[in-house]
């Protein structure tokens, strides 16, 4: 009932108010500039709409620029927004990392104030994804110093191996801490890093099930939480296969081969967003500071 009332309110705002922003044709990477132009989230309770790669979020919260055990990098991108559950998960992870003696975590992109298509990502659209760099060698920095930081690449984007010592015990511990956060459903990491984790001795290996191999994650881990309560229009992902994921499904990634460039001349056209996202894009903004 709550979800229906919120959806109706958003729809009414869309129909009665003048359209301030209009979604524009997506570019080559699928991004839509209209969503990036919005600087604040919407008023009202949090509502996740659609999927991780085709959705949006109403009532998103902004993760503070720094807190116990973490600091956000590249704040100028305004991508430190997400569902309140994601915000709480990252804050809890920061505190656990601090208690474990790790340096401040470098939180990179979460989502835009209202989600939607986002440059440089195939997901991060509905407020349930966040990236954390694997770099763990920095103290708490001033905000302007975090704008130009460079990541630490553990391995090549399409290579099958990790140089000896490239993945440190602290980095492995960070991945384990993230995977044991109760609300985390997935962690995406480079296949060679997953293989390295599988080769380590762990008293409990159950958390490895949440760590899934995926290309393009050779300098960060991609955290994903599940659909939160109160968001009936959120679309769940398929459950992970049983087991620790260290068997045939992992080894199917090797040898890794960079795909050949597509010969198609047609630009990529993403699927249309859920209808409710049009109302989210144009809903009244939350009052800054609240």
């Amino acid at each position: 009932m709550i979800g229906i009332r919120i959806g109706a309110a958003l729809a009414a705002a869309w129909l009665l108010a003048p359209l301030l922003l209009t979604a524009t044709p997506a570019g080559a990477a699928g991004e839509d500039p209209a969503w990036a132009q919005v600087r604040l989230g919407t008023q009202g309770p949090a509502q996740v709409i659609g999927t991780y790669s085709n959705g949006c979020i109403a009532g998103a919260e902004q993760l503070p620029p720094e807190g116990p055990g973490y600091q956000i990098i590249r704040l100028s991108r305004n991508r430190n927004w997400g569902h309140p559950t994601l915000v709480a998960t990252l804050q809890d992870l920061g505190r656990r990392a601090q208690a474990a003696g790790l340096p401040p975590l470098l939180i990179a992109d979460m989502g835009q104030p209202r989600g939607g298509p986002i440059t440089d990502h195939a997901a991060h659209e509905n407020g349930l994804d966040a990236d954390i760099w694997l770099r763990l060698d920095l103290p708490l920095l001033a905000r302007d110093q975090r704008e130009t930081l460079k990541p630490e690449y553990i391995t090549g984007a399409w290579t099958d191996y990790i140089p000896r010592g490239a993945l440190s015990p602290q980095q492995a511990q960070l991945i384990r801490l993230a995977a044991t956060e109760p609300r985390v459903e997935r962690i995406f990491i480079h296949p060679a890093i997953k293989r390295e984790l599988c080769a380590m001795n762990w008293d409990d290996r159950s958390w490895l099930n949440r760590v899934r191999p995926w290309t393009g994650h050779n300098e960060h881990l991609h955290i994903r939480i599940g659909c939160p309560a109160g968001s009936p229009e959120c679309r769940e992902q398929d459950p992970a296969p049983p087991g620790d994921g260290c068997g045939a499904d992992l080894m199917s990634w090797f040898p890794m081969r960079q795909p050949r460039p597509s010969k198609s001349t047609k630009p990529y056209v993403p699927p249309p967003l859920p209808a409710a996202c049009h109302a989210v894009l144009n809903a009244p903004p939350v009052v800054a500071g609240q």
Side-chain angles (χ1 to χ4, degrees):
M1 183 65 68
I2 294 175
I4 295 174
R5 288 200 298 267
I6 293 172
L10 287 172
W14 175 42
L15 293 172
L16 297 177
L19 288 181
L20 304 177
L21 291 168
T22 303
T24 58
E31 70 272 14
D32 187 332
W35 291 88
Q37 292 170 9
V38 181
R39 305 304 297 173
L40 295 171
T42 69
Q43 301 174 15
Q47 281 278 301
V48 176
I49 299 167
T51 67
Y52 302 91
S53 58
N54 189 48
C56 61
I57 179 171
E61 285 188 7
Q62 197 171 21
L63 179 67
E66 53 274 321
Y70 79 88
Q71 54 189 327
I72 297 176
I73 61 173
R74 299 180 295 188
L75 279 162
S76 62
R77 291 161 70 94
N78 196 34
R79 292 180 173 183
N80 55 318
W81 295 79
H83 190 276
T85 302
L86 177 65
V87 171
T89 298
L90 294 172
Q91 291 173 321
D92 288 347
L93 178 59
R95 285 187 283 266
R96 291 179 64 211
Q98 185 180 63
L102 296 181
L105 305 184
L106 300 178
I107 309 294
D109 286 353
M110 294 168 57
Q112 298 172 144
R114 305 184 187 195
I118 179 172
T119 310
D120 302 329
H121 296 283
H124 290 258
E125 292 198 16
N126 65 354
L128 304 179
D129 292 299
D131 289 341
I132 301 177
W133 280 9
L134 286 167
R135 185 172 178 181
L136 290 171
D137 64 339
L138 297 172
L140 184 64
L141 300 173
R143 295 178 185 180
D144 60 339
Q145 292 178 297
R146 305 179 214 158
E147 288 292 325
T148 57
L149 292 179
K150 302 297 183 183
E152 178 182 286
Y153 292 93
I154 305 301
T155 187
W158 296 97
T159 52
D160 293 352
Y161 69 95
I162 297 175
R164 184 178 299 276
L167 183 69
S168 71
Q170 280 192 324
Q171 290 166 330
Q173 183 182 28
L174 166 59
I175 299 170
R176 183 187 65 81
L177 284 173
T180 54
E181 272 295 318
R183 291 159 291 197
V184 171
E185 282 196 352
R186 292 283 198 286
I187 291 179
F188 297 103
I189 202 75
H190 188 281
I193 297 178
K194 165 76 175 186
R195 186 172 61 183
E196 190 80 359
L197 293 169
C198 288
M200 295 178 178
N201 292 322
W202 303 101
D203 293 336
D204 174 20
R205 298 178 63 85
S206 61
W207 60 270
L208 288 166
N209 173 266
R210 298 182 180 183
V211 182
R212 313 307 301 180
W214 203 260
T215 57
H217 295 77
N218 56 338
E219 88 297 352
H220 74 277
L221 56 150
H222 176 158
I223 289 178
R224 172 172 292 174
I225 66 172
C227 285
S231 289
E233 294 188 66
C234 180
R235 297 295 173 259
E236 294 279 7
Q237 60 191 344
D238 292 333
D244 60 11
C246 293
D249 55 340
L250 171 61
M251 298 314 297
S252 67
W253 286 87
F254 305 103
M256 296 185 65
R257 297 186 179 91
Q258 188 166 0
R260 296 178 180 178
S262 173
K263 295 181 180 179
S264 174
T265 58
K266 296 181 179 180
Y268 169 71
V269 179
L273 289 169
C277 288
H278 295 288
V280 172
L281 181 61
N282 294 286
V286 68
V287 178
Q290 293 187 354

